[in-house]
Amino acid sequence: MTGSIDEETAAACIKAGAADYVLKTHLVRLGPAVRSALEMRSSRAERAAAEAALRASEQRFRALVEHSWDAVALFGPDGAILYGSPATTRILGYDLAEFVGRNALDFIHPEDRDAVVGRLTEAMANPGGRVDVAARVRHKDGSWRYLEGVLTNLLDDPSVGGIVNNYRDATERRSLEQQVIQAQKMEAVGRLAGGVAHDFNNILTAIGGTQTCSWMTCR
C-alpha cells in the first residue's frame, strides 16, 4: 500500500512477486486485494504440491521401468517405436538410439510377422485391453530371440498415446521345452520300436515252433 506509485515501479513490484498494490486514496480496494492475494497464494501452493506429486510419480515410474528385468516398448498404430526401456539393450543388444524410431515389424521373423500383425489388429480393436503376443525377434548379433509379451492399447490415453508392449526373453525356456518334447517323442518311438520287436520275436518263435513240430511229425 502506498501513497503514490508510478507504472514502472508498479510493474517492477508485480514482477518481483507482489500480488497487487493499493493506493492510499483507494483504500476501498484493500479488502478485495488482500483476499485476491490469499487466493493466489493458495492456488500457487496447490499447483506446487500437484507438480511435486507429478515429479514423484514420474520418478517412481522411471525407477520401475528403467530397473525392470522385463522390457517395455511403446509404439504407434503404424508400428513405429516411440520408446524403449533400458532393458531393450540387455535383451536385444540394440542401443536405444538405434531402436527407437524403427518399425517394430522390421525386427520380427518373416514367418511370425503375419501372426504379430494379427495380434496388433486385435489390440487396436480393443482399447485398454490386453493381448498376448509371442514371436522370434532379431537380436543385434543376427540371432533370433523368442520373446513373449503383452500388448495394451493405450492410444486413447493422452498421457501415453501408444500401444504398450511389456515383454521378456523366453528363448532358453522355449529351447528347454522343445528338448523335453523331442525327448518325449524319442521315448515314444523307442517304446513303439520295442513293442514291434517284441511282437516280431513272438511271430518268429511261433513260426520256428511250427517248423520243428512239422519236422518231428515227419520223422
Side-chain angles (χ1 to χ4, degrees), residues 21-127:
Y21 66 93
V22 178
L23 296 176
K24 290 182 178 179
T25 56
H26 294 82
L27 291 180
V28 67
R29 290 191 60 249
L30 181 59
V34 171
R35 285 194 296 271
S36 177
L38 291 174
E39 291 173 357
M40 183 178 295
R41 179 180 180 181
S42 177
S43 176
R44 286 177 177 174
E46 291 176 356
R47 184 168 61 252
E51 291 174 351
L54 179 60
R55 286 193 298 270
S57 177
E58 290 175 346
Q59 290 173 354
R60 286 194 298 271
F61 171 78
R62 188 176 296 110
L64 289 172
V65 171
E66 294 186 355
H67 295 88
S68 173
W69 187 253
D70 293 344
V72 178
L74 177 68
F75 43 89
D78 59 350
I81 301 172
L82 307 176
Y83 168 81
S85 68
T88 302
T89 304
R90 177 182 58 79
I91 293 177
L92 292 173
Y94 300 98
D95 292 333
L96 295 182
E98 56 187 349
F99 182 75
V100 176
R102 299 276 300 276
N103 192 290
L105 295 177
D106 292 344
F107 298 94
I108 305 298
H109 193 285
E111 296 177 0
D112 297 339
R113 198 164 295 163
D114 288 344
V116 171
V117 170
R119 303 306 279 170
L120 281 171
T121 301
E122 184 178 345
M124 292 282 290
N126 185 25

Side-chain angles (χ1 to χ4, degrees), residues 149-165:
V150 177
L151 302 174
T152 305
N153 181 356
L154 297 179
L155 288 167
D156 294 336
D157 187 333
S159 64
V160 180
I163 298 175
V164 180
N165 183 18

